[in-house]
Each structure stands twice: as structure tokens, then as C-alpha cells.
Amino acid sequence: MTQTLERQAGGLYVQTPEQQQIAFPLKHTEVQAKIAGNISRVEVTQSFENPFTTTLEAVYIFPLPDEAAVDDMLIRIGDKTIKGSIKKRQEAQQIYEQAKEQGRTAGLLEQERDNIFTQSLANIQPGEQIDVIIRYSESLKFTAGNYEFVFPMVLAPRYIPGIPIEGNAGGVGSATAPMTQNQDTDIVPDGSRLNAPILPSGTRSPHDIHVTIEIDAGVEVKNVQSPSHQIQISYAEKRVLVKLAGGDTIPNKDLILRYQVAGESTQATVLSQADERGGHFALYLIPALQYHQNQVVPKDVVFLIDTSGSQMGAPLMQCQELMRRFINGLNPDDTFSIIDFSDTTRQLSPVPLANNSQNRTKAINYINRLTANGGTEMSRGIRTVLNFPVTDPGRLRSIVLLTDGYIGNENQILAEVKQHLQPGNRLYSFGAGSSVNRFLLNRIAELGRGIAQIIRHDEPTDEIVDKFYRQINNPVLANINLQWEGDGDAPIIYPATPPDLFAEQPLVLFGKKPDARGGKLHITGIVAGATRYQNTINLDFEETGNLAIAQLWGRSRIKELMNLIVSGETKLGVEAVTETALTYQLLSQYTAFVAVSDDVRVDSRQGSVSVQVPVEMAEGISYQGIFGSAVSGAAPIMASMVSPTPEFLQRKRVQASPGAPEVVMSSPVPPPKMSRYEERYRFADESLEDEETFLGDIAPVEHLEVVSVTGLNEQMITLLTQYLESIPLQTGFSGDLVFEWQINKGRVRQVVLDEQASTFKEQAVIDIIRRSLVSWQPPQILTATVSLTLRLQA
């Protein structure tokens, strides 16, 4: 039987006389986790196999926990293991590409988001299996006496807002399916790296996953349970061994494991470690605080609910049930309102409503009528809720966001929260689903000085709502202050500004003392607006301590630094993250692991085929919600493998310029005729609605001057200058902007602002210029490092 190998929509196919079948280079994932106290050490082994007669490159987009400190990567070929080394990301990419061209087997592990990773494996010989081993440490979540271990298994499709960058498309087309909208945009320049091909409804990947978790808590472990998976539990003295049951090995949902430890709740746990980098510690503090009902303060609660296509079906129904319970659980003196968003934003009322029976009935009816469809234009919803009118300044404004978080522009949302959430307000996040974007939900809650709650689409809602109200109704431990007593400099602690504490939620701090000399850490705060709280922790550093403590401090520092540059990458910020990641051997957005075989293993002249590994649709997500009516009937045939352009991923677009690819409109109504400038600079999510004063009458204005450019020849400088001077800007401020970026394969990559050399500070204008720069298209053959100085005059 002859076989024909061909590349199609996101997969590699074998053509036989009987049928066409996809081949999956990823065969199996094995996860082994060891939990000691508050810390887990996890090893993930991905087994790739090439079943063909052609050399193969496999590319796999997959999730890991957003707080994971990834510090090791190896590739195993037969009985030989090659250890990966951490490099600056661009350097690692160059090493990988060179090795691929030379015919060496190479592995490249990159981080796209805190919870999205790409594994590339080049030159897999026909018929051979290669294992990629990834190791990370993570601090366990601990709330109200319950430990929680989470291992994400699949990435649901991310919505990519913005104007597509011309000539770039990350999606792969087929004879029966149009080009998917998985591509880079001015808002998400790496959008094509965030979405893997999704298997059609009714098909199944042979890729399976096994998980083994060993819990060694030092005391008896009890009430081990998983709301997500069927598990097998065995006990040996004080250790517990947990495995997935044989019938639950499809990687299409997050594994959630919860358990308790015997005895009374520990009030403070300190773990420490010392090495040549200094002394590191992790502090878990659980204040024993008592609350009384008369301490409850009146709140103004605004609910913001995601009604985009990915929420269709079970996720929306779960959010509606949560909302009904939220409304009925409000205190008598509270006020409330509801806002929902998808392509557009709607609201229950223009002002907060009193909590009476008439308004509750009105709210419940509004909730019951919600339907899910369209794109996830979260920036609109966030802007609306942050600007929602305040009618009683004496109330504590609490914003409750309900979403799966399936977007690619996380930093844009985080920047909105960081810049515009009013002091004293709180933002809480709820995720409903099997594989929600925990990175976004957790970070929003942190920046919003609130808490994040994740609930599966099939979990009971009553307990989670009761717990939520116990937390937000009770006063917090606020104004937390840390004082060091002892020799040497004070430790460097993250988070740098400790958050307020909610009931049943511990304070987790990671610290470093470069001289590793012990001392005392005094923690003070205010309870219920008056009562003083005080605790003292003795700190000593042990060279025999858990090595993961240092890695977790490094990961916490990177997280803190990344929070500082959510509005846009800056030179000092990128350098600080890179330096920390290299010092602690950690994966980050600016570092990557690369492993290369010593020997040339394939004939590079014969070429190879590159395949992106398709993934399962996350459990509970509606195919129709993602892909629209195209899959409402029979499942797509195996030959197409990629359904028609997902409605969930479609954006309201216009053709950017003559010759640009035609872009699908999510609305059947044709757009009005636009001028060339409107076409070029109208953002798809209409994110400039609140900044329209900067666009004026959409005519270019002559107040942007290109002062200097290095790294380009005169001809390219002229083209760049003409391009930049056509940007329609208006500003009431003057100053200089200095940007640095890389040019590679016809793309501008990683536009970094030199904040020390720049004097212009108006963020909205900086964002417009940055987006315009990433959209500029130099020649494909050009490779350069560019420095640009602009002068803006009011």
C-alpha cells in the first residue's frame, strides 16, 4: 500500500486508497508530581514519535501553571539525554534554527504567556521516538484549610483582537476551510503563537496523559478529592499516592486535586534555603482573625459578565447560576448593577440599583435572557465597568468579573485595571469552565486587590458563592507593614507591596537576603479598621533547605517586574526580567531553553516537514460557540481538520490597505466607506473610543519628527520616516521617545521603550506609536537591531 505524505490544516496526513488520516507526532504525556508541604516539584515528559519516512519537526503549544518556576528541560533520544541550557530567547532561537539546518536534533522551549508555552522539536528521524522532559516548582494554593494542586492539560482558543499585521497569518488553511484568524495583530503581535489547531467535534487524538501525584505533608492527609477527574488513591503511612483512573486520560481539562491535612490550621509556615546567591525564604501566614456581622460595610457591587461565543452552553449557564446566587446573597444595604460584554457592551441600568425585591427580580430576568455569541472584546467591558457611575461615595465599590479569560491581549486588560481602578475599589474574578485562563484571572484579582475563584462548569455553585460573601463581607487585614530586625540589609520581599488579606486566605511572601544572615521579620496590620495585628517570624537560612525556594523567589520577582510593564515593554524592565531569569535558570518571555545533539543525525539537504500538534477542544466548550453554525450539524470531515473561520476568533475588520487579504466580518452589515487613514488606524476592538481626541479629524498632523535612526540604511530610514509621519496623532504634550526593536523575517519584533532616554509620558499616544511600529513591514530579507528617536511637539 503506497502512502502519500502531505501538509494540511494543522496536521500531517497519510493518504491511503481508503481514507485520509491525520498523524499525531505527540503520543503521550507523563506527569509526575511530588508535593512536600506547601511546594510541588513536577516533571512533565512529552513523547514525540515520527511514523513517516520524512524527517519531522513537531511544534506543540501547551499550558503549564501560571505560577510555575520552570527551571529545567532535557531531550532524550534512546539511551542518550541532552540537557537544555537557558539563553536569552533570541539567542536560543538562533541556536535552534542553526541546529535544524545542520541536521542536528534540537529542542526549544519558549514561554508565550505565564501559562502558555511552545515546545519545538526539530529533526525527528523517521520511526524514532524522542522525549522532552520539563521540570518546574510551584507553591500550592491554600484556602480555608484546603490545599489545591492544579495541572492544566489543554489550551482553549484565545480571541485575538486588533488589526491583522499584513502578510502574516498563523492559521493554516485547507481546501475546504478559509484561513483562520489566528494571526498577529497590532494589539497582540504574537497572536499566531497562542492558538493550536483544534480537533473537530467527534474526533479523538491518540495522545493521552498519565498523572501521578505523591503527597508528603509530614502529617496525615485526608479528604483527597478531585472535582475534575476520576482518581485512584493509595495510602502508605503519612504519604498519599494519587493517579488518574484508566478511563480519564484525555487531555481536555485541568486536573484539580484538593486535600486537607490533619490537625489544627498552622498559623505560620516558614521555609528557607541558602546557596551562593544568598538566603531565600517562603512565608505562609494565616492570621487568626475573628469577625462579627456588625462589621460589614455597605457595598456597591457591579457584576461584569462575559457573554462571548466561548461561554456558550455550560460555562454561561454556570455564570448565570452564580449571578443569580450573587444577587440573592447581597446584604440589604448593598447596591448593584450588571454589565455584560462580547462584541458590544450592555448594562442592566445606567446607575447602581438599590437591593430591593423589585430590582432583584429585574436583575434575575436580565440574567436569564443572556445569550453567548461573538468575540471577547474584554477591553470594552473593563473600560465600561471601571467608568461606571458612583452615586454614593461612601460605599465600597466591588467589581465582580465572570469570564473564561480566553483572550490573547491579557496585558492590555491588566494595564486598564492597573491605571484606572480607583483607590479603595476591589476587583474580584470568577472563572467558570474546565480550562480557564488562570493567568489572567489571578493577575486581574491581584492588581484589583481582590481574590480569584475558579469553578468548573459542572461544580455546585452554592458553596463557592457562600465562601465569596464570607470573604468580601468580612473586614480584611489591611495596611500590612513589614519590618526587619537583624544584621545586614533587609530582605528583598515579593510582593513588594503586600496585598490586603481576606478571610480564609493566607499571605504568601517570598524573600531573599543576599548575605543569608538570620533575624526577625515583624508583620503588622489593621483589622476591621481599628484593631492592631502583629506577628513576628524568626528567620534562619539552611543550606540543606528546599532548593525550590530560591526558584520561587526568582519567579516571584519576574512576576513583579512583568506587572510593572503591562502597559508596554521598557528597556530597564526587560533587562531586569532577563537578568533574573538567567541568574535563577528560569524560563520567561525573554529567555528560553535550548538543547542540541552533538552529532548530525539527518541529511539537511532532504528537507523536513513541520507540524503543529492539534489539541482537544477543552471540555464543556461549545464548538458552535467557537466555530459558529459551520459545525452545528455533522462534524467536519477528517480531511479538513480545521473548521471554517471561528466566529469566536473573527473580529470586525476592514481591509487595511490595497492588496491586503480580505478579512471576514462578524456582522452581516457592510461597513461604511472609510478613508485610507481610518482604515489603517481604526482598531478592531475600537480601543480608541475613549481616546478619539488623539485622532482628531483623521488627517495626519505635522508634529512627529524622526530625530535619529540607527541600524537601517538611508532608503529604509526614508520609508520608515514616511510611514511614521502619516500616523494621525494629536497631543497636548511635547517630548522625545526612544524605541529599540528587532527586525527579522519581515517583521518588527519586541518594541521596547527606553524609559530613561524618553521624556514624553502620554501613555495613549505611546500605545498608538508602538502599535504602528509593530505593524510596519520591512523587507523579508532584512535583519537588524534598530534604535529610533522621535520628537513630538504639542
Side-chain angles (χ1 to χ4, degrees), residues 29-42:
T29 297
E30 188 74 28
V31 181
Q32 293 185 322
K34 293 186 176 181
I35 300 174
N38 301 73
I39 294 174
S40 64
R41 182 66 177 170
V42 184

Side-chain angles (χ1 to χ4, degrees), residues 183-195:
Q183 56 188 328
D184 300 339
T185 71
D186 60 333
I187 294 177
V188 192
D190 60 348
S192 61
R193 299 183 62 88
L194 303 181
N195 283 318

Side-chain angles (χ1 to χ4, degrees), residues 420-438:
H420 302 300
L421 184 69
Q422 294 298 313
N425 291 356
R426 294 284 186 271
L427 200 164
Y428 307 91
S429 61
F430 275 78
S434 67
S435 305
V436 302
N437 186 352
R438 291 172 181 263

Side-chain angles (χ1 to χ4, degrees), residues 303 316-327 367 402 430-432 455 460-462 464-465:
F303 299 96
L316 179 61
M317 288 190 288
Q318 186 74 311
C319 286
Q320 288 172 308
E321 177 61 20
L322 282 168
M323 286 287 297
R324 286 188 284 265
R325 289 187 177 274
F326 282 146
I327 295 298
I367 293 165
L402 297 95
F430 275 78
I455 182 171
T461 59
D462 51 352
I464 198 84
V465 172

Side-chain angles (χ1 to χ4, degrees), residues 326-388:
F326 282 146
I327 295 298
N328 289 323
L330 289 167
N331 293 322
D333 293 332
D334 292 342
T335 57
F336 70 93
S337 190
I338 300 171
I339 299 170
D340 66 283
F341 69 91
S342 55
D343 284 331
T344 58
T345 301
R346 297 155 295 272
Q347 57 192 30
L348 170 66
S349 65
V351 294
L353 300 175
N355 182 20
N356 56 44
S357 59
Q358 181 180 354
N359 286 334
R360 286 195 299 272
T361 299
K362 180 180 178 181
I364 298 299
N365 291 336
Y366 184 89
I367 293 165
N368 293 340
R369 290 194 299 267
L370 293 175
T371 58
N373 56 71
T376 315
E377 295 291 349
M378 189 179 291
S379 58
R380 284 186 181 179
I382 288 290
R383 252 184 238 110
T384 301
V385 79
L386 292 178
N387 291 308
F388 194 72

Side-chain angles (χ1 to χ4, degrees), residues 75-140:
I75 57 176
R76 185 167 58 211
I77 310 171
D79 59 357
K80 185 176 182 180
T81 299
I82 306 167
K83 184 174 177 59
S85 57
I86 193 81
K87 303 284 185 183
K88 292 183 178 180
R89 187 169 183 175
Q90 186 178 8
E91 180 184 355
Q93 290 170 339
Q94 292 171 348
I95 293 172
Y96 175 81
E97 291 296 332
Q98 184 178 19
K100 182 170 68 172
E101 293 175 3
Q102 293 172 343
R104 304 177 192 273
T105 295
L108 177 67
L109 178 62
E110 301 171 89
Q111 177 183 313
E112 315 299 344
R113 297 290 185 272
D114 283 29
N115 60 342
I116 301 180
F117 300 80
T118 299
Q119 177 64 63
S120 302
L121 192 59
N123 292 325
I124 310 173
Q125 292 181 355
E128 80 173 344
Q129 175 177 311
I130 297 180
D131 296 332
V132 177
I133 302 165
I134 301 166
R135 295 178 180 137
Y136 69 85
S137 298
E138 186 185 19
S139 177
L140 263 63

Side-chain angles (χ1 to χ4, degrees), residues 310-320 404 432-433 457 620-622:
S310 63
Q311 292 276 96
M312 183 177 290
L316 179 61
M317 288 190 288
Q318 186 74 311
C319 286
Q320 288 172 308
D404 51 31
H457 56 285
I621 296 182
S622 163

Side-chain angles (χ1 to χ4, degrees), residues 24 30 55 167 240 352 543 576 665 674 766:
F24 294 84
E30 188 74 28
T55 301
V240 178
E543 293 187 5
M665 298 289 294
M674 293 184 177
I766 294 174

